[in-house]
Amino acid sequence: MTKSALQIERAHYVPKMPTALRGAVKAVDGEYTESVANQEEIKKLFPNTYGMPVVTFEKSNEKKTMPPINVGVILSGGQAPGGHNVIAGLFDGLKSGNKDSRLYGFILGPGGLIEHKYMELTAGIIDEYRNTGGFDMIGSGRTKLEQKEQFDKGLEILKKLDIKALVIIGGDDSNTNACVLAEYYKSIGAGVQVIGCPKTIDGDLKNEQVETSFGFDTACKVYSEVIGNIQRDCNSARKYWHFIKLMGRSASHIALECALQTHPNVCIISEEVEARNQTLDDIVNQIATVVLKRSEAGNNFGTVLIPEGLVEFIPAMKRLIAELNDFLAKHETEFKMIKKSEQRSYIIAKLTKENSELYASLPEGVARQLTLERDPHGNVQVSLIETEKLLAEMVGNRLAEWKAEGKYTGKFATQMHFFGYEGRCAAPSNYDADYCYSLGYAAACLIHAGKTGYMSSVRNTTAPADKWIAGGIPVTMMMNMERRHGEMKPVIQKALVKLEGAPFKAYAAHREEWALSTDYVYPGPIQYFGPSSVCDEPTKTLQLEQQK
C-alpha cells in the first residue's frame, strides 16, 4: 500500500508498555470480586469459568521457553483506532514465548471463524500495519457468536489449524460472546482458550478493572479537532449556530469528552436528560434560552453538541419508539402498503393519545425516520435519525414564537453536522498505540498462563507506561442479567456517564460560563511527536476519573 509521511514515521514508533511485560512474565492470581448483581444466575450459566481470580503480571527472573502455540484472532464489531496494534502486541507476545508460535487472522470478523476464512499473519504483514488505524489487516464484522452450531463450526477450523487459543477483539457484546464461547469450549473439553480485548470508541466498556476501551482516546481527539475548527469558523463568521451530533448510541462519553476538550456553548448529556425526566420540549427550551441570552450580547452564533442516542434517553421519546417498534413489528406488511404521503397520518391515527401527539409534533422528516426499517433486533436505527436537524428546526420554531411575542430579536441561522465514521479508523494517538499494544501483549501472556474466559486488562494508564499494571479479568465478573428480546440474558453492563462522576461534574461546573461566553478551545490535530506532556496525554475523562 502507498504510505504517507506520517505512516512512514509511525512505522518506526516503538509502543511503550508496562515494565511487567518486558522479558520473562509471571502471572499472579488475585481475588474474585462479585462486582455486579445476579451472581447466582451467572454462576449457573458459567459453571466452568465462573469465580476465577483477577490476574496481574509481574516480572520473573525465571526465563523459560514456552511450547509453540497456534492462536487465532478476530476483530469484531465497529472499527476503533489501535486494533492493528493489539494484533501486533499479541504477535510479539506469542513470538517472545516461542519463535515458532503462529498467529491466524479470521477474515471479516466472527463470520470468518464460522465460514473458515482465514490468513496466517506473518511478521511481514504485521510490520505493514503497526501503529496504523483501521481494521483492514483482516477486516471486521458484526456476526454474533451465540449458537451451539456456530461454536461447533468454528471448532472445526480451530482443530484443523491446531489453534489452541482464540482472541476476540470487540465491545461489550463481542466480549459477552467470547465469554459464552469460552464456557462452551471448556465444558466440552475442546482445548481452546478464549481471551477478549476491550474495544469501542463509545467508551461504554469500562469498570473498576477496565479503565477505558481502546479507540476512545483517538476518536475523541479527532472529533475535538474538527469541533475546534468549526468553533473557530463560528467565531470568525459570527452568524451560524452549529448543531453537531457525535457518535455514541448507548452513552454520552464522547459528547462529554469533546465538551471538556472544546468548551461548546451547549452539550446535551443523554443520561442527565433521562435522570431529570426531560421532554423534547425541555431540551428545545434549554438550547433556545442559550441562543436568546447570547443574542442579547450580540452573539448570534454558537455550537451545540448532541450525543447520537439522545432520542432513546428522552423518556417520552423512548415510550413513543417502544410503541412504534411493537406496532410496526405487528403491522409491517400493512404499513408498507400505505402511500408514503399518507404514512404519517396513518401512524398518528394508530398510536395512543400521548404518543400520537408527540409524533404529530415532530418535523415531518424526523417522523419519517422513526418509521424506517428496523435493525436486526427490531429496534429503531438511531444513527439514521437526524437529531441535529430535529433540534435545529424545533429551536428555530421556538425562537420564531418568542420573536412574535417580542422576547427575541436576534438572528438564527444553522449548520448541521454528524461526526461518526471520521473517527473510527484514524491513526491511533500515542496513548491508543501504547495501550493497544499492551492489551495485545497481555492477551498473549494470558494464553501462556493457560487462562480462558478472561479479558486483557491494562490499568493505571494516566501514569508513565512503565508503571502501568497489566493482567486479566474474568469476563463473568462484568456480567449481569438483562432483558434482551423478551428474555433474560447474560451481558456485560454498558457503562453510562455517571452524573456523580468527576468528568460530568467538571463539565457541569463550567457549562453556564461556556454557554454565554465564547470560551472556545481549538485542540488542533493529534500530536504524535514532541514532548510527552503533549503527545501522550490521555483523555480529560480518564484524567478526571483517576484524579490526575
Side-chain angles (χ1 to χ4, degrees):
M1 60 182 176
T2 303
K3 290 188 175 182
S4 66
L6 174 61
Q7 286 174 311
I8 293 170
E9 286 294 318
R10 291 285 279 169
H12 301 293
Y13 179 76
V14 178
K16 307 175 186 72
M17 65 176 182
T19 302
L21 297 184
R22 300 170 193 159
V25 175
K26 178 174 65 174
V28 180
D29 289 349
E31 298 293 329
Y32 180 85
T33 304
E34 295 184 354
S35 56
V36 293
N38 311 120
Q39 288 299 297
E40 285 305 314
E41 291 91 336
I42 300 296
K43 188 174 182 179
K44 290 176 185 176
L45 290 169
F46 298 92
N48 296 285
T49 53
Y50 181 85
M52 300 183 298
V54 171
V55 170
T56 54
F57 295 122
E58 296 180 359
K59 284 195 70 64
S60 173
N61 295 323
E62 183 185 353
K63 176 67 175 175
K64 61 179 180 179
T65 302
M66 306 298 296
I69 184 172
N70 291 353
V71 174
V73 63
I74 293 172
L75 292 167
S76 179
Q79 291 77 263
H84 289 154
N85 267 29
V86 177
I87 297 176
L90 173 62
F91 180 86
D92 290 352
L94 294 173
K95 291 292 186 179
S96 72
N98 191 302
K99 64 181 179 58
D100 294 324
S101 291
R102 302 169 77 176
L103 181 62
Y104 293 88
F106 288 97
I107 308 301
L108 292 177
L113 177 69
I114 300 166
E115 297 165 13
H116 299 182
K117 295 178 180 178
Y118 64 91
M119 62 186 287
E120 183 173 358
L121 301 176
T122 61
I125 294 171
I126 296 292
D127 290 345
E128 280 289 311
Y129 288 93
R130 291 179 188 272
N131 306 311
T132 61
F135 280 7
D136 45 313
M137 181 194 294
I138 54 175
S140 183
R142 294 189 180 276
T143 301
K144 293 186 181 298
L145 295 172
E146 297 178 308
Q147 307 298 325
K148 178 181 180 298
E149 293 75 14
Q150 295 174 313
F151 304 161
D152 291 337
K153 191 68 177 175
L155 188 57
E156 290 176 13
I157 191 63
L158 296 176
K159 291 294 187 183
K160 181 179 178 180
L161 297 174
D162 193 30
I163 288 175
K164 300 297 185 184
L166 183 66
V167 176
I168 298 178
I169 302 168
D172 55 309
D173 282 343
S174 299
N175 276 279
T176 294
N177 293 163
C179 188
V180 173
L181 190 63
E183 173 67 26
Y184 178 72
Y185 284 164
K186 187 83 178 286
S187 70
I188 65 172
V192 178
Q193 302 163 245
V194 183
I195 303 295
C197 280
K199 171 235 55 160
T200 172
I201 67 165
D202 289 356
D204 57 10
L205 175 51
K206 62 180 181 179
N207 49 53
E208 290 181 5
Q209 300 292 333
V210 179
E211 289 183 347
T212 187
S213 52
F214 80 75
F216 177 72
D217 184 277
T218 306
C220 288
K221 285 172 179 169
V222 170
Y223 298 144
S224 293
E225 175 195 353
V226 186
I227 293 167
N229 293 347
I230 285 173
Q231 290 189 152
R232 183 149 253 161
D233 184 277
C234 179
N235 199 16
S236 299
R238 305 193 178 189
K239 62 179 181 180
Y240 290 119
W241 272 87
H242 292 262
F243 285 70
I244 304 167
K245 184 172 73 171
L246 294 160
M247 226 170 218
R249 170 170 184 160
S250 299
S252 306
H253 296 291
I254 290 178
L256 178 56
E257 173 63 28
C258 290
L260 292 169
Q261 289 194 33
T262 63
H263 302 185
N265 301 108
V266 179
C267 177
I268 306 298
I269 302 299
S270 298
E271 291 85 344
E272 183 182 26
V273 168
E274 184 172 52
R276 293 173 61 181
N277 198 30
Q278 288 183 293
T279 64
L280 184 58
D281 203 53
D282 292 333
I283 297 169
V284 169
N285 280 336
Q286 176 186 342
I287 299 170
T289 299
V290 174
V291 175
L292 169 64
K293 289 182 178 179
R294 284 182 63 80
S295 74
E296 291 172 346
N299 296 322
N300 292 298
F301 64 93
T303 50
V304 181
L305 303 189
I306 305 158
E308 178 186 20
L310 173 63
V311 293
E312 290 193 313
F313 280 83
I314 301 171
M317 288 292 290
K318 185 184 290 187
R319 292 191 291 271
L320 168 61
I321 290 170
E323 185 175 356
L324 278 173
N325 285 343
D326 289 343
F327 178 80
L328 293 174
K330 295 174 184 175
H331 303 88
E332 182 180 10
T333 304
E334 179 184 346
F335 178 72
K336 286 182 176 178
M337 293 175 66
I338 305 292
K339 290 181 181 179
K340 284 191 176 180
S341 60
E342 298 174 5
Q343 286 178 346
R344 181 180 172 88
S345 299
Y346 170 82
I347 291 291
I348 290 172
K350 297 292 184 180
L351 297 177
T352 56
K353 185 175 184 296
E354 179 192 19
N355 288 333
S356 178
E357 290 175 354
L358 175 57
Y359 185 81
S361 73
L362 299 175
E364 188 170 345
V366 173
R368 185 179 299 113
Q369 288 165 1
L370 285 173
T371 60
L372 291 176
E373 196 168 311
R374 270 34 194 166
D375 67 15
H377 308 299
N379 299 317
V380 66
Q381 300 185 63
V382 294
S383 62
L384 300 180
I385 299 172
E386 296 174 307
T387 320
E388 68 279 22
K389 292 185 179 180
L390 165 68
L391 291 178
E393 183 173 338
M394 295 186 76
V395 168
N397 293 339
R398 184 57 39 82
L399 292 171
E401 293 171 7
W402 290 354
K403 181 165 283 191
E405 296 169 7
K407 295 180 182 178
Y408 172 67
T409 58
K411 297 177 181 179
F412 183 69
T414 60
Q415 297 287 342
M416 277 75 76
H417 317 266
F418 173 35
F419 298 148
Y421 290 95
E422 296 87 342
R424 301 203 311 174
C425 286
S429 62
N430 285 2
Y431 175 89
D432 269 330
D434 297 343
Y435 181 53
C436 289
Y437 185 84
S438 298
L439 285 172
Y441 206 104
C445 293
L446 286 167
I447 291 168
H448 286 149
K451 304 298 182 181
T452 191
Y454 276 76
M455 185 187 292
S456 179
S457 167
V458 179
R459 294 180 287 125
N460 199 36
T461 59
T462 53
D466 60 0
K467 297 188 185 314
W468 291 5
I469 302 167
I473 313 103
V475 183
T476 54
M477 273 182 60
M478 310 174 206
M479 290 287 203
N480 192 25
M481 299 300 294
E482 294 182 12
R483 185 168 295 280
R484 296 282 179 94
H485 317 306
E487 58 181 299
M488 297 301 289
K489 288 189 174 182
V491 295
I492 295 175
Q493 285 185 305
K494 286 187 182 295
L496 303 182
V497 168
K498 295 180 179 178
L499 301 184
E500 70 279 8
F504 177 78
K505 284 185 174 181
Y507 168 66
H510 294 284
R511 60 177 159 188
E512 289 187 15
E513 170 195 346
W514 295 347
L516 303 183
S517 65
T518 303
D519 190 44
Y520 301 151
V521 175
Y522 317 115
I526 295 174
Q527 299 297 300
Y528 297 100
F529 310 103
S532 180
S533 59
V534 174
C535 300
D536 302 334
E537 185 179 33
T539 58
K540 304 290 185 187
T541 295
L542 194 54
Q543 292 180 64
L544 287 163
E545 286 174 341
Q546 302 296 317
Q547 294 299 311
K548 294 179 181 179

